Amino acid sequence: MRRYVAIVLIVCSLLSVSVAAAQSQRTFTLDFEGFPDNQSIDAYGGLVFQFGWRFGDLRSGRYNAPFPASCPDFGGTCAFAVNGNGFARVSGAGTGAIALPAGVVAFSAAASTSDPLTFTAFAAGGIVLGTAVVVPNTFTGQLDRVTLTAPPNQTIATIEVSGTRDTWLIDDVQYTVDLARGGRPARLTLAQRVDDVARPGEVVTLDLVLENYGRGSVFDATIELPFDDNTLILLDATPSRAGVWVSEVQSGLITIRTGPLAANRDLVRMTIRFRVRDDAPHGVAIGRVARLAYRDSVTDFGHGQSNVPRTTIGPGPELNHWRAPEITVAGSTLTYAAAGFAPGEPVGIWYNPPDGAPPVAVTTVRADGDGRVSGELSLRDVPAGEYSFVLFSHHSQQTFVGGFAVAASP
């Protein structure tokens, strides 16, 4: 058996970061496990894969791997090594790019290849920072790792992987972010939207909305949504885009994986349908808090929770009940407050003048960590009359309406 020796060439004097700097660094790993075979890779684990990347899974029987096990009966010969079952490859010309988040100072990947495979690191603006080459290493049963490290005071913006079509794969990608040079936290809100009244035997639709309104991207997130197994029967769950899926269903619990979310208001939605059991008693509250865990460039253990839908089993039709905010008027100042929103979700605020005049926008704010919104409104230039004051949450779509009066000036 012929065995190739892997040689790694690194140019441009790529230097390791100092020990002191490493204290402000975080390293993240992508193992490519758990995805359907041949699914396109767009964004995964905080990275953006460009130009034909796809997930691979050995269990599909479509690949001549892993060496030296028995290969599928399609005439292939076991040659490639993989760590686990999942890996990444480029479908097409054999060249693909990976866009990195801000502040990346090092990148590495394990590769199995039958032809020379080249990794090139670019700074922003297309400046080449370094190149690494893996020589053929099939039939060895091993993956060879390349590492590219940015020179001092520089960061890597893009990695290009170039080889011959369908003759290579990569696995266990790692990248290191210097938090002082680009690490930004994500800020997430998880909201549930559902009708307030559900009758026995009918279908209830729940929209679960996850939004990232922070300046940093989310690498991946997990949502655990409990439900009353004695009252509801789970029918199905439909994601708003690829890369969001139900990873597990247990008695009374749905687990959802979202994959990455970009910064600055990227959001995903999961639409879940339940059927209310025919023998479900009236008056039972079926809303539950959903829990969230996520990773970003700052933390591996971010967490949060949703609002609690005010949903009960009842005899009436499906209704969205308005709720009343807390409103007080003292002199020319109106003070308002409302609770029950999803923490961090946007809430639009306006008031309706008398006689059908157009609404007057006040502001849009985000609920605090307890799901509460509060503030003040000056009534100094508001004409006399009877008004209604409205708060409407964008994701959970809850409406709070209260009245106030402005007295005529003496």
Side-chain angles (χ1 to χ4, degrees):
M1 179 183 302
R2 184 176 181 182
R3 181 177 179 85
Y4 294 94
V5 178
I7 302 175
V8 178
L9 305 176
I10 302 180
V11 300
C12 288
S13 301
L14 301 183
L15 302 176
S16 298
V17 294
S18 68
V19 173
Q23 295 177 355
S24 66
Q25 296 176 358
R26 299 294 305 279
T27 298
F28 302 93
T29 301
L30 286 63
D31 61 13
F32 302 97
E33 300 291 338
F35 294 90
D37 180 65
N38 211 38
Q39 175 180 309
S40 296
I41 310 177
D42 298 315
Y44 169 49
L47 309 184
V48 178
F49 289 76
Q50 303 169 331
F51 314 128
W53 287 91
R54 294 187 179 274
F55 290 103
D57 191 321
L58 298 184
R59 293 169 294 187
S60 67
R62 299 177 61 243
Y63 306 100
N64 52 342
F67 177 89
S70 298
C71 279
D73 187 17
F74 55 69
T77 301
C78 285
F80 292 88
V82 174
N83 183 16
N85 295 305
F87 57 90
R89 61 187 180 88
V90 168
S91 175
T95 297
I98 305 173
L100 310 181
V104 172
V105 294
F107 175 93
S108 72
S112 183
T113 181
S114 61
D115 296 289
L117 183 63
T118 302
F119 292 75
T120 305
F122 296 89
I127 300 172
V128 175
L129 297 178
T131 300
V133 177
V134 179
V135 300
N137 63 349
T138 48
F139 300 103
T140 67
Q142 69 181 40
L143 292 155
D144 290 302
R145 180 166 290 277
V146 298
T147 299
L148 293 166
T149 305
N153 302 318
Q154 296 194 54
T155 58
I156 305 172
T158 307
I159 296 290
E160 182 183 83
V161 185
S162 181
T164 306
R165 176 177 179 174
D166 295 331
T167 63
W168 59 267
L169 59 84
I170 66 170
D171 201 355
D172 294 341
V173 165
Q174 292 186 332
Y175 63 97
T176 300
V177 176
D178 186 339
L179 304 183
R181 287 193 279 172
R184 297 287 188 273
R187 300 186 69 182
L188 297 182
T189 179
L190 177 63
Q192 297 185 68
R193 177 192 310 164
V194 72
D195 292 320
D196 290 326
V197 179
R199 291 178 293 186
E202 75 177 4
V203 174
V204 176
T205 299
L206 182 150
D207 281 332
L208 196 64
V209 181
L210 179 65
E211 179 201 10
N212 175 23
Y213 61 99
R215 296 179 62 191
S217 61
V218 176
F219 298 165
D220 53 64
T222 301
I223 301 169
E224 291 187 339
L225 175 66
F227 64 95
D228 186 351
D229 223 1
N230 296 317
T231 305
L232 301 175
I233 301 171
L234 176 63
L235 298 179
D236 52 44
T238 304
S240 61
R241 70 188 189 198
V244 181
W245 71 102
V246 175
S247 62
E248 186 176 12
V249 176
Q250 302 177 22
S251 177
L253 183 67
I254 306 169
T255 302
I256 299 166
R257 298 285 299 278
T258 70
L261 281 78
N264 301 317
R265 303 210 63 181
D266 188 16
L267 65 81
V268 295
R269 179 180 294 105
M270 179 71 75
T271 299
I272 305 170
R273 296 194 311 151
F274 300 94
R275 188 172 69 83
V276 182
R277 294 185 183 273
D278 295 333
D279 58 354
H282 291 175
V284 173
I286 60 176
R288 300 289 186 272
V289 173
R291 304 290 181 181
L292 169 70
Y294 65 92
R295 296 188 309 135
D296 61 14
S297 62
V298 176
T299 179
D300 279 333
F301 305 104
H303 59 86
Q305 66 182 48
S306 74
N307 59 304
V308 181
R310 293 167 57 91
T311 311
T312 57
I313 307 299
E318 295 180 353
L319 300 173
N320 286 314
H321 294 301
W322 289 357
R323 299 161 65 184
E326 303 169 18
I327 296 178
T328 58
V329 176
S332 61
T333 300
L334 179 148
T335 301
Y336 62 87
F341 303 111
E345 79 165 312
V347 178
I349 303 173
W350 68 90
Y351 62 85
N352 298 309
D355 302 324
V360 178
V362 175
T363 186
T364 297
V365 299
R366 288 191 177 270
D368 65 17
D370 296 319
R372 185 175 176 85
V373 167
S374 61
E376 294 182 346
L377 170 66
S378 173
L379 303 177
R380 188 176 304 277
D381 298 321
V382 177
E386 299 287 334
Y387 294 79
S388 62
F389 190 83
V390 184
L391 298 94
F392 177 77
S393 56
H394 292 193
H395 297 331
S396 59
Q397 294 195 347
Q398 300 177 78
T399 304
F400 288 72
V401 181
F404 69 94
V406 177
S409 300

